[in-house]
Amino acid sequence: MLGYIIRRLLLACPLLLIVSFITFVLINISPQDPVELVLQAQGIPNVTDELIVQTRVELGLDQPFIIRFFHWAIACLQLDFGDSYVTGKPIWSLVGPAFLNTLKLTLVSSVVIIVISILLGVLCAIREGKWMDKLVRAVAFLLTSMPSYLLSAILIWYFSVKLDWLPTSGMDSYKSYILPVTVTAISYAGIYFRNVRSSMISNLNEDYVLYGRASGLPERKITLHILRNSLQVAISIFGMAIPIIMGGTVIIENVFAWPGLGSLSIRAIQSRDFPIIQAYVLILAVAFVLFNTVSDIVNAAINPKLRRES
């Protein structure tokens, strides 16, 4: 098992390098000169050619592209993403707190989504084709097809404005989590529970289920065995769900004024603050790679066949 973990981590290293390079390239192909953006943000009225050249040297933009990339990549390993073009503050002092706030919302939402998806997936698989299965899938389809901003507006109007039970924005207390987590769970649980249901139904048709029932095993024990065998697909799905949810909270964070990466990235895009955008894209990309690696390791721990095949 240790050898498998080492191999997966070694495979993730070149992938992270490629991801960071693509991130750096995408930001640097912008048609707008970052030097002009910096000078505009500083409010300098008269931008001369000499000032542009001087600022370009100070930012290191006069160096070759590949040299700038390696300097940037090495600095990112030390959590140094540079300085904001608009405020001049270190990027990590802005991104760090926002990342923690987004991570809190993502983890709470992920736990709720995983629990709901497993419960509904198992229930619908056991009741396949019956009225409960059809009703749950129909409601899930209706709710997941509804835009998250519309669902957020409805919940805010009813629970915050009409009933005055929950806050409309911010993250002052545990009540602030209820509406954003609810919207996130509704948006994603309806998708992931169908994957759990499909995996459960596939295992229900396996021979070992027939043999277990023929041997007189309790139905609860058979269901738990099916669920354990279905975990391999579920772990891969839920492992990738966390970075997907983290990247998908942009709209929800802006609707509920949640001080996370989504809100920060929208402000950075509006002000063309490229270093913040660059850090945001890189963090999400690294999260995808890391969670994919972790889910593979967990699957290998559950299923030894994967270790042997690798």
Side-chain angles (χ1 to χ4, degrees):
M1 185 64 191
L2 180 60
Y4 178 83
I5 295 175
I6 294 174
R7 287 195 299 272
R8 287 298 293 122
L9 293 176
L10 290 177
L11 287 174
C13 290
L15 186 57
L16 289 173
L17 182 62
I18 294 172
V19 166
S20 62
F21 181 76
I22 294 175
T23 303
F24 190 78
V25 169
L26 289 176
I27 297 299
N28 280 269
I29 61 176
S30 173
Q32 196 156 9
D33 190 352
V35 175
E36 296 180 2
L37 291 176
V38 172
L39 296 176
Q40 290 174 4
Q42 293 175 353
I44 298 177
N46 298 321
V47 179
T48 62
D49 293 338
E50 292 79 7
L51 185 57
I52 291 177
V53 173
Q54 180 183 350
T55 306
R56 191 180 303 277
V57 173
E58 292 175 354
L59 296 176
L61 297 176
D62 59 324
Q63 299 178 354
F65 175 82
I66 195 66
I67 300 298
R68 286 190 285 123
F69 165 69
F70 278 112
H71 286 168
W72 175 78
I74 293 172
C76 287
L77 292 175
Q78 304 170 5
L79 298 181
D80 180 10
F81 298 100
D83 297 329
S84 169
Y85 286 168
V86 176
T87 64
K89 297 180 180 179
I91 298 298
W92 185 247
S93 67
L94 303 172
V95 172
F99 173 74
L100 291 178
N101 294 335
T102 296
L103 187 61
K104 293 176 185 177
L105 178 61
T106 300
L107 292 179
V108 175
S109 301
S110 299
V111 171
V112 175
I113 290 170
I114 290 172
V115 172
I116 293 176
S117 298
I118 292 177
L119 290 177
L120 291 181
V122 172
L123 179 64
C124 291
I126 295 175
R127 305 283 183 177
E128 181 189 5
K130 297 182 179 180
W131 67 269
M132 184 176 293
D133 178 32
K134 295 178 180 179
L135 177 63
V136 171
R137 285 191 293 156
V139 173
F141 177 79
L142 176 64
L143 292 178
T144 53
S145 63
M146 184 180 298
S148 58
Y149 62 84
L150 176 60
L151 182 60
S152 300
I154 294 174
L155 294 180
I156 290 174
W157 170 78
Y158 187 75
F159 290 102
S160 299
V161 177
K162 187 175 181 180
L163 299 179
D164 195 22
W165 286 356
L166 301 171
T168 59
S169 61
M171 51 175 299
D172 299 326
S173 65
Y174 72 94
K175 291 184 178 181
S176 303
Y177 284 82
I178 296 177
L179 290 183
V181 169
T182 301
V183 175
T184 306
I186 290 175
S187 301
Y188 289 95
I191 300 173
Y192 292 118
F193 100 89
R194 287 196 290 267
N195 293 294
V196 177
R197 175 183 177 274
S198 299
S199 180
M200 286 283 295
I201 291 175
S202 177
N203 279 278
L204 278 169
N205 297 323
E206 294 292 334
D207 292 337
Y208 71 85
V209 177
L210 178 62
Y211 296 151
R213 287 173 176 165
S215 301
L217 291 176
E219 195 65 28
R220 181 182 299 177
K221 189 173 182 179
I222 294 174
T223 302
L224 290 175
H225 196 67
I226 295 171
L227 180 60
R228 188 186 66 181
N229 291 338
S230 303
L231 278 180
Q232 182 175 333
V233 175
I235 288 172
S236 299
I237 294 171
F238 292 134
M240 295 307 297
I242 294 177
I244 291 175
I245 295 170
M246 185 181 295
T249 57
V250 175
I251 295 177
I252 295 174
E253 286 185 2
N254 279 274
V255 171
F256 291 100
W258 191 271
L261 281 177
S263 302
L264 181 64
S265 65
I266 292 298
R267 293 196 300 269
I269 291 172
Q270 292 173 344
S271 61
R272 293 180 176 82
D273 201 344
F274 288 157
I276 294 181
I277 302 172
Q278 203 169 34
Y280 174 72
V281 174
L282 181 63
I283 289 172
L284 288 184
V286 170
F288 270 95
V289 175
L290 291 182
F291 277 101
N292 184 39
T293 302
V294 171
S295 63
D296 287 346
I297 292 173
V298 174
N299 277 329
I302 296 175
N303 188 357
K305 290 171 59 177
L306 296 177
R307 300 198 297 268
R308 292 195 295 267
E309 291 173 358
S310 66

